[in-house]
Amino acid sequence: DVLSEMWSFMKEISSDGDVSTVDVIFPSSPLILDRNADLFKRILYPIMEYANNKTAAYGEGIDYNLAWAPHHLGKWPLCNIHPDAQEQMPVEETGNLLLLIDYIVSAEGTLDWLSGYWPLLDIWGTYLVSALPDPGNQLCTDDFEGPSPHNANLAAKGILGIGAYAQLKEKSGDKATSDQFLKIASQYAQYWVSHAVDGDHYKLEYDKSATWSQKYNLVFQQLLGLNLFPQDVITTELAYYMEKMNAFGTPLDDRATFTKLDWSFWSGSMGTDDQFQKIVDASYNFMNQTPDRVPMTDWFETLTPDLKGFRARPVVGGIFMKWLTEEHPASSIAVGEANVSVPSSETDFLSALWQWILSLISGDGIFLQ
């Protein structure tokens, strides 16, 4: 009765049963943002209300007293977790939300839906400045690999998050604050380059030479037009990923031989068409050759076609990042007839996958072979 419009909640499938996990919503975003940005706002609303201490109106008052964004809302179907019970990922989740909010505002050209949330955004922008340019010993979304202090990819996300906040303030008419935060973001990006560089690539962690990782978070620089990091950083990284590629993909980082499907596609979306195609081909080869016949996984080995874990998770929506990084025409979709036309620049794999998703929605029961 309190809601004036419908909200949507995302369940974290396979990994656990958390509700509206921010670092699951983040990688799932390309598919939903491309198809229905308004729906994506409805996914963000309950998280923002929770962080904004507005839960009492919905049945249970929870005092959210953290300076950073929440990790999730509770265990499905209850959204009642208290701040001290959260899995804390301060830079990760704060950066995720600021980047997503800025993208939606840029795409829609309106700030109206943020009315009442500006004090919250101010808290988050200020927090990122205080936590960076070195995030210290914080968890990031790839927490299944364990702690990674001074993580360069996490730092890049936070720095871009500061840039996103600066853009939001400029769009709101507060150019003074925008200029202040954009200057800080630029200084932090310079720090990042000087501390992460390691010859022909960039490190996994600031203080560990001879390490590397996929810097998939940098794709939001292109999406938001921030230009904080030199293009040479991205060019150098993509070339290195190609060198590290195995039969079924490029590992997530040097700590293991497995990869993540969503993040690999984000990395590939920053590269050349040829680099992107190589990542698509390696991923297709895994899907085609794996003996693990389960709903699509996002976590698998790259030396052998073996499932590592996770299946049927919302994060597989991340493979559509290429649609966001390109200036593409709107696709025509007739779900009832499973009639799909996609931009001619898209790969056959993406086109086939989209047709498969639509066939499931329409009940045609067509599967990728």
Side-chain angles (χ1 to χ4, degrees), residues 257-278:
T257 58
F258 56 68
T259 194
K260 287 286 272 83
L261 180 70
D262 44 351
W263 299 144
S264 293
F265 272 69
W266 285 35
S267 294
S269 295
M270 295 185 284
T272 65
D273 288 344
D274 181 64
Q275 290 169 334
F276 179 70
Q277 188 63 54
K278 287 180 178 178

Side-chain angles (χ1 to χ4, degrees), residues 56-81:
Y58 308 104
E60 182 172 354
I62 297 174
D63 181 20
Y64 190 83
N65 54 7
L66 303 177
W68 51 84
H71 175 267
H72 66 295
L73 298 181
K75 187 70 67 174
W76 188 274
L78 302 178
C79 300
N80 60 356
I81 191 169

Side-chain angles (χ1 to χ4, degrees), residues 223-288:
L223 292 183
L224 300 177
L226 282 166
N227 299 319
L228 294 172
F229 295 87
Q231 177 59 37
D232 182 62
V233 169
I234 296 171
T235 302
T236 297
E237 281 289 283
L238 264 294
Y240 196 75
Y241 304 160
M242 296 300 105
E243 293 179 12
K244 294 296 182 180
M245 181 171 286
N246 296 321
F248 304 105
T250 298
L252 186 60
D253 59 47
D254 66 88
R255 292 177 290 177
T257 58
F258 56 68
T259 194
K260 287 286 272 83
L261 180 70
D262 44 351
W263 299 144
S264 293
F265 272 69
W266 285 35
S267 294
S269 295
M270 295 185 284
T272 65
D273 288 344
D274 181 64
Q275 290 169 334
F276 179 70
Q277 188 63 54
K278 287 180 178 178
I279 289 175
V280 170
D281 290 345
S283 301
Y284 176 83
N285 288 338
F286 166 78
M287 300 294 174
N288 194 43

Side-chain angles (χ1 to χ4, degrees), residues 39 186 215 287:
L39 170 60
S186 179
K215 310 300 189 300
M287 300 294 174

Side-chain angles (χ1 to χ4, degrees), residues 256-335:
T257 58
F258 56 68
T259 194
K260 287 286 272 83
L261 180 70
D262 44 351
W263 299 144
S264 293
F265 272 69
W266 285 35
S267 294
S269 295
M270 295 185 284
T272 65
D273 288 344
D274 181 64
Q275 290 169 334
F276 179 70
Q277 188 63 54
K278 287 180 178 178
I279 289 175
V280 170
D281 290 345
S283 301
Y284 176 83
N285 288 338
F286 166 78
M287 300 294 174
N288 194 43
Q289 296 181 37
T290 180
D292 302 306
R293 309 316 296 176
V294 300
M296 180 178 283
T297 179
D298 57 286
W299 187 21
F300 53 88
E301 289 289 345
T302 62
L303 293 173
T304 59
D306 295 318
L307 171 76
K308 187 66 179 177
F310 302 159
R311 60 195 69 182
R313 297 207 306 159
V315 304
V316 298
I319 71 170
F320 294 96
M321 175 57 79
K322 188 74 167 174
W323 282 358
L324 298 188
T325 58
E326 293 186 346
E327 292 184 1
H328 58 82
S331 302
S332 66
I333 307 170
V335 173

